[in-house]
Amino acid sequence: RQPRFGRKRRGKKTRLWKIEVAERAAFQYNLPHMAVLLRRESDTVAKVILGLSKTLASTLDLDEVLLRILDSIGLVIPMDSCSLLLLRGNSLEVKAAIGFEPSQGVVGLLMELDHYPLNRFVIENGTPMLIDDVNTDPRWSPRPGASEIRSWMGIPLRASGEVIGMLAIDSRRPGVYTDDEREVADAFADFAAVAVRNARLFATTRRRIDELDAVNRISVAVASRLEVDRLCVIVGENLGEIFRAGSVY
């Protein structure tokens, strides 16, 4: 029978290995807040990071990644609902949400910054915001489906030095969130920002490849000395693809 202390030692070694691997993932994806959390040797956080790292490495489906991030937040932060919003002009668009009824139509909702002072503060200042009880804060403007919210956190998403959106984390109980929860939320905001950045880079690269493809098809058509009418059709179709135009004259 294996000595009891041997099992304990192996368990500690496994936990430290998970944390070490998670630290590498945090470094690989440039997640400074996550690296800070891991120094506390949190086994739960380490497991969550490993899972999210695998998701980031295995898919470019932004909707899937964002939902996975929100689900993971619920494993380490007490909450009743959570949403991820991306900046779109002078508004924030809800790109992913959990904890809401489908009938509330939260995903896709556009929230103008002028109408939501707390969101505007987070975006313009790039700093997190914690509210113990939204009922006592005159800046609070509840969005659809948010009438029962009491505690609230707004966490900015940063990519390439710019704020691109925010996380909104909600609880129906007052006084739930402290700086500890804020630090954890900062780390997940890093993950979300990386996912958004990767998806946008992929979309840009895909577009450039498509444009080069279209230019190549035009070059081939011109070199093949097609009849003028047929050549015009090919050139028009490919120019429409390059410029995303419905019709070309």
Side-chain angles (χ1 to χ4, degrees):
R1 184 176 178 181
Q2 190 175 7
R4 190 175 174 186
F5 67 85
R7 291 198 298 273
K8 284 188 176 180
R9 184 178 302 169
R10 187 172 67 243
K12 182 178 181 180
K13 184 177 180 180
T14 301
R15 185 174 70 253
L16 292 176
W17 173 81
K18 288 178 180 177
I19 293 171
E20 181 182 351
V21 173
E23 284 178 335
R24 291 176 186 171
F27 177 78
Q28 175 185 354
Y29 290 109
N30 189 25
L31 306 171
H33 294 105
M34 195 68 79
V36 169
L37 281 181
L38 286 168
R39 296 192 188 108
R40 302 176 183 173
E41 298 186 4
S42 169
D43 192 38
T44 301
V45 173
K47 288 179 180 178
V48 170
I49 293 173
L50 289 174
L52 287 178
S53 298
K54 291 178 182 178
T55 301
L56 282 175
S58 63
T59 181
L60 286 168
D61 185 332
L62 183 59
D63 291 340
E64 177 186 344
V65 174
L66 295 183
L67 278 176
R68 180 70 182 274
I69 290 171
L70 297 189
D71 285 336
S72 298
I73 291 174
L75 298 176
V76 291
I77 295 179
M79 68 173 191
D80 291 299
S81 55
C82 183
S83 53
L84 188 145
L85 307 90
L86 294 182
L87 198 57
R88 183 175 162 187
N90 196 43
S91 299
L92 285 166
E93 180 181 6
V94 181
K95 297 296 291 184
I98 60 173
F100 299 94
E101 294 295 331
S103 60
Q104 293 174 325
V106 174
V107 176
L109 180 68
L110 277 178
M111 304 174 65
E112 292 186 26
L113 293 177
D114 291 340
H115 296 163
Y116 297 91
L118 292 178
N119 291 356
R120 182 167 189 159
F121 177 90
V122 172
I123 294 298
E124 292 186 347
N125 293 278
T127 55
M129 172 71 74
L130 277 66
I131 305 295
D132 285 335
D133 189 344
V134 298
N135 289 345
T136 63
D137 196 311
R139 298 168 298 177
W140 174 252
S141 298
R143 63 182 182 274
S147 59
E148 297 182 358
I149 291 176
R150 297 293 298 277
S151 296
W152 181 85
M153 277 198 296
I155 309 295
L157 271 60
R158 301 178 186 86
S160 303
E162 296 183 358
V163 177
I164 62 171
M166 62 177 283
L167 283 174
I169 304 174
D170 322 309
S171 173
R172 296 185 184 121
R173 294 183 294 116
V176 170
Y177 301 125
T178 66
D179 283 341
D180 288 340
E181 284 76 28
R182 190 263 305 159
E183 287 183 1
V184 176
D186 272 334
F188 284 98
D190 285 346
F191 251 116
V194 167
V196 172
R197 183 190 64 196
N198 287 351
R200 288 177 174 175
L201 286 174
F202 177 77
T204 299
T205 301
R206 182 72 263 175
R207 177 176 171 80
R208 288 176 179 170
I209 291 173
D210 290 343
E211 289 172 353
L212 290 173
D213 225 18
V215 170
N216 183 59
R217 289 194 295 269
I218 292 174
S219 299
V220 170
V222 171
S224 64
R225 298 181 181 179
L226 293 173
E227 293 182 359
V228 173
D229 289 346
R230 179 56 183 158
L231 179 60
C232 288
V233 169
I234 293 175
V235 171
E237 288 175 348
N238 286 282
L239 285 176
E241 183 175 329
I242 292 172
F243 295 105
R244 300 294 192 268
S247 58
V248 177
Y249 297 93

mmCIF file of all heavy atoms in Angstrom, residues 72-82 151-153 169-173 175-178 180-182 184:
data_model
loop_
_atom_site.group_PDB
_atom_site.id
_atom_site.type_symbol
_atom_site.label_atom_id
_atom_site.label_comp_id
_atom_site.label_asym_id
_atom_site.label_seq_id
_atom_site.Cartn_x
_atom_site.Cartn_y
_atom_site.Cartn_z
ATOM 1 N N SER A 72 -16.825 30.186 -18.096
ATOM 2 C CA SER A 72 -15.676 29.988 -17.211
ATOM 3 C C SER A 72 -15.655 31.021 -16.095
ATOM 4 O O SER A 72 -15.268 30.715 -14.960
ATOM 5 C CB SER A 72 -14.370 30.066 -18.011
ATOM 6 O OG SER A 72 -14.314 29.046 -18.993
ATOM 7 N N ILE A 73 -16.070 32.242 -16.392
ATOM 8 C CA ILE A 73 -16.144 33.274 -15.357
ATOM 9 C C ILE A 73 -17.070 32.816 -14.229
ATOM 10 O O ILE A 73 -16.784 33.013 -13.046
ATOM 11 C CB ILE A 73 -16.636 34.602 -15.947
ATOM 12 C CG1 ILE A 73 -15.575 35.199 -16.878
ATOM 13 C CG2 ILE A 73 -16.980 35.606 -14.840
ATOM 14 C CD1 ILE A 73 -16.032 36.435 -17.627
ATOM 15 N N GLY A 74 -18.171 32.177 -14.615
ATOM 16 C CA GLY A 74 -19.125 31.709 -13.620
ATOM 17 C C GLY A 74 -18.569 30.641 -12.688
ATOM 18 O O GLY A 74 -19.138 30.394 -11.622
ATOM 19 N N LEU A 75 -17.454 29.998 -13.068
ATOM 20 C CA LEU A 75 -16.839 28.975 -12.220
ATOM 21 C C LEU A 75 -16.026 29.585 -11.083
ATOM 22 O O LEU A 75 -15.783 28.919 -10.074
ATOM 23 C CB LEU A 75 -15.934 28.070 -13.065
ATOM 24 C CG LEU A 75 -16.603 27.258 -14.170
ATOM 25 C CD1 LEU A 75 -15.553 26.498 -14.969
ATOM 26 C CD2 LEU A 75 -17.624 26.290 -13.581
ATOM 27 N N VAL A 76 -15.582 30.826 -11.248
ATOM 28 C CA VAL A 76 -14.678 31.412 -10.263
ATOM 29 C C VAL A 76 -15.175 32.734 -9.668
ATOM 30 O O VAL A 76 -14.586 33.245 -8.722
ATOM 31 C CB VAL A 76 -13.268 31.623 -10.882
ATOM 32 C CG1 VAL A 76 -12.601 30.285 -11.140
ATOM 33 C CG2 VAL A 76 -13.339 32.428 -12.166
ATOM 34 N N ILE A 77 -16.245 33.295 -10.231
ATOM 35 C CA ILE A 77 -16.814 34.546 -9.712
ATOM 36 C C ILE A 77 -18.302 34.343 -9.472
ATOM 37 O O ILE A 77 -19.008 33.862 -10.361
ATOM 38 C CB ILE A 77 -16.614 35.699 -10.714
ATOM 39 C CG1 ILE A 77 -15.125 36.009 -10.899
ATOM 40 C CG2 ILE A 77 -17.335 36.962 -10.232
ATOM 41 C CD1 ILE A 77 -14.861 37.124 -11.903
ATOM 42 N N PRO A 78 -18.807 34.695 -8.286
ATOM 43 C CA PRO A 78 -20.257 34.574 -8.057
ATOM 44 C C PRO A 78 -21.022 35.556 -8.941
ATOM 45 O O PRO A 78 -20.712 36.747 -8.965
ATOM 46 C CB PRO A 78 -20.406 34.931 -6.571
ATOM 47 C CG PRO A 78 -19.202 35.747 -6.249
ATOM 48 C CD PRO A 78 -18.095 35.229 -7.114
ATOM 49 N N MET A 79 -21.982 35.048 -9.693
ATOM 50 C CA MET A 79 -22.746 35.929 -10.580
ATOM 51 C C MET A 79 -24.071 35.281 -10.932
ATOM 52 O O MET A 79 -24.243 34.063 -10.828
ATOM 53 C CB MET A 79 -21.954 36.217 -11.858
ATOM 54 C CG MET A 79 -21.782 35.018 -12.755
ATOM 55 S SD MET A 79 -21.034 35.455 -14.322
ATOM 56 C CE MET A 79 -21.271 33.934 -15.235
ATOM 57 N N ASP A 80 -25.012 36.102 -11.370
ATOM 58 C CA ASP A 80 -26.286 35.611 -11.883
ATOM 59 C C ASP A 80 -26.383 35.793 -13.387
ATOM 60 O O ASP A 80 -27.132 35.082 -14.062
ATOM 61 C CB ASP A 80 -27.444 36.335 -11.195
ATOM 62 C CG ASP A 80 -27.558 35.952 -9.727
ATOM 63 O OD1 ASP A 80 -27.769 34.760 -9.451
ATOM 64 O OD2 ASP A 80 -27.410 36.831 -8.867
ATOM 65 N N SER A 81 -25.648 36.764 -13.919
ATOM 66 C CA SER A 81 -25.629 36.981 -15.368
ATOM 67 C C SER A 81 -24.330 37.686 -15.743
ATOM 68 O O SER A 81 -23.669 38.291 -14.891
ATOM 69 C CB SER A 81 -26.844 37.808 -15.818
ATOM 70 O OG SER A 81 -26.923 39.027 -15.109
ATOM 71 N N CYS A 82 -24.007 37.578 -17.000
ATOM 72 C CA CYS A 82 -22.755 38.164 -17.481
ATOM 73 C C CYS A 82 -22.891 38.407 -18.976
ATOM 74 O O CYS A 82 -23.519 37.619 -19.692
ATOM 75 C CB CYS A 82 -21.595 37.215 -17.197
ATOM 76 S SG CYS A 82 -19.975 37.854 -17.664
ATOM 77 N N SER A 151 -25.536 44.041 -7.464
ATOM 78 C CA SER A 151 -24.090 44.262 -7.594
ATOM 79 C C SER A 151 -23.691 44.198 -9.061
ATOM 80 O O SER A 151 -24.243 43.397 -9.825
ATOM 81 C CB SER A 151 -23.309 43.204 -6.814
ATOM 82 O OG SER A 151 -23.565 43.293 -5.436
ATOM 83 N N TRP A 152 -22.707 45.021 -9.432
ATOM 84 C CA TRP A 152 -22.317 45.094 -10.855
ATOM 85 C C TRP A 152 -20.835 45.389 -10.985
ATOM 86 O O TRP A 152 -20.271 46.176 -10.205
ATOM 87 C CB TRP A 152 -23.128 46.187 -11.536
ATOM 88 C CG TRP A 152 -22.871 46.391 -13.000
ATOM 89 C CD1 TRP A 152 -23.454 45.698 -14.028
ATOM 90 C CD2 TRP A 152 -21.994 47.346 -13.612
ATOM 91 N NE1 TRP A 152 -22.990 46.178 -15.236
ATOM 92 C CE2 TRP A 152 -22.093 47.187 -15.000
ATOM 93 C CE3 TRP A 152 -21.136 48.332 -13.104
ATOM 94 C CZ2 TRP A 152 -21.368 47.973 -15.898
ATOM 95 C CZ3 TRP A 152 -20.409 49.102 -13.991
ATOM 96 C CH2 TRP A 152 -20.531 48.918 -15.372
ATOM 97 N N MET A 153 -20.209 44.740 -11.949
ATOM 98 C CA MET A 153 -18.826 45.040 -12.318
ATOM 99 C C MET A 153 -18.748 45.334 -13.800
ATOM 100 O O MET A 153 -19.317 44.596 -14.617
ATOM 101 C CB MET A 153 -17.890 43.858 -12.015
ATOM 102 C CG MET A 153 -17.401 43.770 -10.611
ATOM 103 S SD MET A 153 -15.923 42.700 -10.452
ATOM 104 C CE MET A 153 -16.579 41.108 -10.937
ATOM 105 N N ILE A 169 -20.591 42.083 -15.367
ATOM 106 C CA ILE A 169 -20.855 40.926 -14.511
ATOM 107 C C ILE A 169 -21.841 41.356 -13.426
ATOM 108 O O ILE A 169 -21.627 42.364 -12.749
ATOM 109 C CB ILE A 169 -19.542 40.401 -13.896
ATOM 110 C CG1 ILE A 169 -18.544 40.065 -15.017
ATOM 111 C CG2 ILE A 169 -19.814 39.176 -13.034
ATOM 112 C CD1 ILE A 169 -17.164 39.682 -14.514
ATOM 113 N N ASP A 170 -22.910 40.582 -13.260
ATOM 114 C CA ASP A 170 -24.037 41.009 -12.427
ATOM 115 C C ASP A 170 -24.369 39.988 -11.338
ATOM 116 O O ASP A 170 -24.217 38.784 -11.525
ATOM 117 C CB ASP A 170 -25.300 41.191 -13.288
ATOM 118 C CG ASP A 170 -24.995 41.789 -14.661
ATOM 119 O OD1 ASP A 170 -24.318 42.829 -14.705
ATOM 120 O OD2 ASP A 170 -25.441 41.204 -15.674
ATOM 121 N N SER A 171 -24.865 40.514 -10.224
ATOM 122 C CA SER A 171 -25.401 39.672 -9.157
ATOM 123 C C SER A 171 -26.693 40.283 -8.641
ATOM 124 O O SER A 171 -26.837 41.509 -8.616
ATOM 125 C CB SER A 171 -24.397 39.530 -8.013
ATOM 126 O OG SER A 171 -24.986 38.838 -6.923
ATOM 127 N N ARG A 172 -27.608 39.433 -8.218
ATOM 128 C CA ARG A 172 -28.865 39.919 -7.659
ATOM 129 C C ARG A 172 -28.734 40.282 -6.182
ATOM 130 O O ARG A 172 -29.698 40.750 -5.577
ATOM 131 C CB ARG A 172 -29.960 38.853 -7.822
ATOM 132 C CG ARG A 172 -30.290 38.556 -9.281
ATOM 133 C CD ARG A 172 -31.458 37.605 -9.398
ATOM 134 N NE ARG A 172 -31.699 37.246 -10.785
ATOM 135 C CZ ARG A 172 -31.660 36.002 -11.255
ATOM 136 N NH1 ARG A 172 -31.402 34.991 -10.422
ATOM 137 N NH2 ARG A 172 -31.884 35.748 -12.524
ATOM 138 N N ARG A 173 -27.559 40.047 -5.609
ATOM 139 C CA ARG A 173 -27.314 40.385 -4.206
ATOM 140 C C ARG A 173 -26.391 41.601 -4.127
ATOM 141 O O ARG A 173 -25.441 41.711 -4.901
ATOM 142 C CB ARG A 173 -26.672 39.206 -3.470
ATOM 143 C CG ARG A 173 -27.585 37.996 -3.359
ATOM 144 C CD ARG A 173 -26.931 36.877 -2.564
ATOM 145 N NE ARG A 173 -25.773 36.327 -3.252
ATOM 146 C CZ ARG A 173 -24.528 36.380 -2.801
ATOM 147 N NH1 ARG A 173 -24.264 36.987 -1.648
ATOM 148 N NH2 ARG A 173 -23.541 35.838 -3.477
ATOM 149 N N GLY A 175 -23.376 44.101 -2.617
ATOM 150 C CA GLY A 175 -22.102 43.945 -1.927
ATOM 151 C C GLY A 175 -21.355 42.660 -2.217
ATOM 152 O O GLY A 175 -20.594 42.179 -1.366
ATOM 153 N N VAL A 176 -21.521 42.097 -3.401
ATOM 154 C CA VAL A 176 -20.905 40.805 -3.714
ATOM 155 C C VAL A 176 -19.449 40.953 -4.150
ATOM 156 O O VAL A 176 -18.597 40.117 -3.822
ATOM 157 C CB VAL A 176 -21.715 40.077 -4.817
ATOM 158 C CG1 VAL A 176 -20.958 38.851 -5.330
ATOM 159 C CG2 VAL A 176 -23.072 39.661 -4.270
ATOM 160 N N TYR A 177 -19.131 42.020 -4.871
ATOM 161 C CA TYR A 177 -17.825 42.095 -5.538
ATOM 162 C C TYR A 177 -16.824 42.966 -4.786
ATOM 163 O O TYR A 177 -17.158 44.050 -4.290
ATOM 164 C CB TYR A 177 -18.001 42.610 -6.966
ATOM 165 C CG TYR A 177 -18.922 41.727 -7.776
ATOM 166 C CD1 TYR A 177 -20.043 42.253 -8.425
ATOM 167 C CD2 TYR A 177 -18.700 40.358 -7.856
ATOM 168 C CE1 TYR A 177 -20.883 41.439 -9.161
ATOM 169 C CE2 TYR A 177 -19.548 39.540 -8.569
ATOM 170 C CZ TYR A 177 -20.637 40.077 -9.222
ATOM 171 O OH TYR A 177 -21.483 39.273 -9.934
ATOM 172 N N THR A 178 -15.594 42.459 -4.728
ATOM 173 C CA THR A 178 -14.477 43.167 -4.115
ATOM 174 C C THR A 178 -13.336 43.239 -5.128
ATOM 175 O O THR A 178 -13.467 42.777 -6.274
ATOM 176 C CB THR A 178 -13.994 42.439 -2.852
ATOM 177 O OG1 THR A 178 -13.433 41.165 -3.239
ATOM 178 C CG2 THR A 178 -15.147 42.199 -1.885
ATOM 179 N N ASP A 180 -10.795 41.419 -5.165
ATOM 180 C CA ASP A 180 -10.409 40.053 -5.539
ATOM 181 C C ASP A 180 -11.168 39.593 -6.782
ATOM 182 O O ASP A 180 -10.581 39.059 -7.727
ATOM 183 C CB ASP A 180 -10.684 39.087 -4.383
ATOM 184 C CG ASP A 180 -9.715 39.277 -3.228
ATOM 185 O OD1 ASP A 180 -8.632 39.855 -3.453
ATOM 186 O OD2 ASP A 180 -10.044 38.849 -2.103
ATOM 187 N N GLU A 181 -12.486 39.803 -6.782
ATOM 188 C CA GLU A 181 -13.282 39.429 -7.960
ATOM 189 C C GLU A 181 -12.908 40.291 -9.168
ATOM 190 O O GLU A 181 -12.888 39.808 -10.292
ATOM 191 C CB GLU A 181 -14.770 39.580 -7.672
ATOM 192 C CG GLU A 181 -15.373 38.483 -6.801
ATOM 193 C CD GLU A 181 -15.024 38.634 -5.339
ATOM 194 O OE1 GLU A 181 -14.802 39.786 -4.900
ATOM 195 O OE2 GLU A 181 -14.939 37.608 -4.639
ATOM 196 N N ARG A 182 -12.584 41.548 -8.904
ATOM 197 C CA ARG A 182 -12.192 42.434 -10.007
ATOM 198 C C ARG A 182 -10.915 41.944 -10.676
ATOM 199 O O ARG A 182 -10.794 41.975 -11.893
ATOM 200 C CB ARG A 182 -12.026 43.849 -9.472
ATOM 201 C CG ARG A 182 -11.861 44.927 -10.555
ATOM 202 C CD ARG A 182 -10.409 45.266 -10.803
ATOM 203 N NE ARG A 182 -9.756 45.642 -9.575
ATOM 204 C CZ ARG A 182 -8.430 45.604 -9.411
ATOM 205 N NH1 ARG A 182 -7.649 45.194 -10.368
ATOM 206 N NH2 ARG A 182 -7.896 45.949 -8.250
ATOM 207 N N VAL A 184 -9.831 38.850 -10.850
ATOM 208 C CA VAL A 184 -10.178 37.668 -11.641
ATOM 209 C C VAL A 184 -10.861 38.086 -12.938
ATOM 210 O O VAL A 184 -10.551 37.582 -14.021
ATOM 211 C CB VAL A 184 -11.087 36.722 -10.832
ATOM 212 C CG1 VAL A 184 -11.516 35.535 -11.696
ATOM 213 C CG2 VAL A 184 -10.372 36.227 -9.587
#
